[in-house]
Amino acid sequence: MAERQYDLGDAELGALKTLWDHGPATVREVLSHLHDSGRRVAYTTVQTLLTRLEQKGYVTSNKSELAYVYRAKLTRDRVTRSRLKTLVKQLYDGAAGPLVMQLIRTEQFTPDEIEELQGLIERLDGEPKQPKR
Amino acid sequence: MAERQYDLGDAELGALKTLWDHGPATVREVLSHLHDSGRRVAYTTVQTLLTRLEQKGYVTSNKSELAYVYRAKLTRDRVTRSRLKTLVKQLYDGAAGPLVMQLIRTEQFTPDEIEELQGLIERLDGEPKQPKR
DNA sequence: GAGATCCTACTACATCTGTCGGAGGATGTC
DNA sequence: GACATCCTCCGACAGATGTAGTAGGATCTC
């Protein structure tokens, strides 16, 4: 009934990730990357994943010499944002605060990241955004 | 073959969330909360969700007077952490940094949250954690 | 040009998840 | 005590997703 969109499954996301990490690739290349990261799947499985990703609008393909080359259509950030939004909504009714606190409290950061974080926070502080919608 | 554990579906998470938000409840109460938030599902659907949540270890139940009362077994933070970890792994090979930056850049925060964030960041800065494992 | 390879298109199937309906027991109401 | 209610237990079914086999065309290799 509802426009339930499962969006991306884990395996699909895994395939998409190889495109982000290594750039456009054929089925065989994606397969190879997946194998490199310890994921053992069949060639046709990867093919199915890429086909479905294309149907869902996450990648595009171009017929080149030998085989179709798949290319990510949405950026990693774009997908990240969407997933985060879903998560925030599901867990905290849309309030991102608690989630960020969680992350900062439980994850590890490099000094560079910490510095960047500080910069971001400071900017947040000074620049009050207008409420959304 | 692998211990693929889908964990929680959206509907299941929604039911669990009512327990976090409103405390222990019977099937009918959860149903009522879901209805309140605009989710129209059947009584037996909720029952199924709670049963599955119990099988998966997310909630426990106690037979009281009239009906079973379900109670969240894992905290919201616990589940949040787990989901975030998965997300971070799937999108960034485990590096939480980029995800936090995303969140901070795209979400809205209350002044209080910003203040709390600043506190957290400062603490991060001063207290270099030892590398995990 | 015959066999080995590689690619695409289909098809298939199991599991997980979302959603319910029906049977049958327990309790409340006249 | 007959009916309406409410609860639990089972079973079912559709769609999404993970995984892969097969058929058949195209290409490479001797």
Side-chain angles (χ1 to χ4, degrees):
Chain A
M1 300 278 77
E3 66 302 338
R4 177 96 172 69
Q5 37 185 353
Y6 274 59
D7 240 19
L8 286 187
D10 289 351
E12 290 169 346
L13 187 54
L16 178 54
K17 182 165 176 302
T18 71
L19 297 182
W20 286 329
D21 288 344
H22 304 283
T26 62
V27 171
R28 189 154 296 277
E29 287 162 349
V30 169
L31 175 67
S32 160
H33 292 142
L34 289 177
H35 280 182
D36 288 348
S37 50
R39 194 107 171 54
R40 286 195 283 98
V41 286
Y43 181 95
T44 48
T45 298
V46 176
Q47 188 188 30
T48 300
L49 294 177
L50 289 172
T51 300
R52 288 181 184 165
L53 280 171
E54 183 163 29
Q55 285 166 354
K56 296 178 181 180
Y58 285 89
V59 308
T60 53
S61 66
N62 278 75
K63 181 77 174 182
S64 85
E65 319 268 326
L66 297 177
Y68 280 104
V69 173
Y70 293 85
R71 177 184 309 270
K73 199 170 164 188
L74 299 183
T75 65
R76 190 191 313 241
D77 276 2
R78 183 86 174 59
V79 173
T80 301
R81 209 176 321 141
S82 149
R83 298 225 138 189
L84 280 175
K85 192 164 284 298
T86 300
L87 199 59
V88 166
K89 189 173 303 171
Q90 288 177 331
L91 290 164
Y92 300 100
D93 290 313
L99 211 148
V100 176
M101 309 302 166
Q102 260 292 326
L103 265 173
I104 294 186
R105 227 175 279 127
T106 59
E107 298 292 337
Q108 309 286 317
F109 299 94
T110 67
D112 280 357
E113 284 172 341
I114 293 179
E115 199 167 321
E116 190 177 350
L117 270 175
Q118 286 177 322
L120 280 176
I121 302 291
E122 274 165 36
R123 224 171 309 146
L124 269 190
D125 197 22
E127 158 229 310
K129 307 182 181 178
Q130 53 274 340
K132 203 178 295 179
R133 77 166 94 180
Chain B
M1 317 308 82
E3 66 302 339
R4 178 105 173 66
Q5 39 187 349
Y6 276 59
D7 240 20
L8 285 187
D10 288 351
E12 289 169 347
L13 187 54
L16 178 55
K17 182 166 178 300
T18 72
L19 296 182
W20 286 329
D21 289 345
H22 305 284
T26 62
V27 171
R28 189 155 296 277
E29 287 163 349
V30 170
L31 175 67
S32 160
H33 292 141
L34 289 176
H35 280 181
D36 288 348
S37 50
R39 197 107 172 54
R40 287 195 282 98
V41 287
Y43 182 94
T44 47
T45 299
V46 176
Q47 188 187 31
T48 300
L49 295 177
L50 288 172
T51 301
R52 288 181 185 165
L53 280 170
E54 183 162 27
Q55 286 167 353
K56 295 178 180 181
Y58 285 89
V59 308
T60 53
S61 66
N62 278 74
K63 180 77 174 180
S64 87
E65 320 266 326
L66 297 176
Y68 280 104
V69 173
Y70 292 85
R71 177 185 309 270
K73 199 171 164 188
L74 300 183
T75 65
R76 190 191 312 240
D77 276 3
R78 183 85 174 58
V79 172
T80 300
R81 210 176 321 142
S82 149
R83 297 224 136 189
L84 280 175
K85 193 165 283 299
T86 301
L87 199 60
V88 165
K89 189 174 302 172
Q90 288 176 331
L91 290 163
Y92 300 99
D93 290 312
L99 211 149
V100 176
M101 309 302 166
Q102 259 292 324
L103 264 173
I104 294 186
R105 227 176 279 126
T106 59
E107 298 293 336
Q108 311 286 317
F109 299 94
T110 67
D112 279 358
E113 285 172 340
I114 292 179
E115 199 168 322
E116 191 177 350
L117 271 176
Q118 287 176 322
L120 280 176
I121 302 291
E122 273 166 37
R123 224 171 310 145
L124 271 189
D125 196 23
E127 159 229 310
K129 307 181 180 179
Q130 53 275 340
K132 205 176 292 179
R133 79 165 95 185

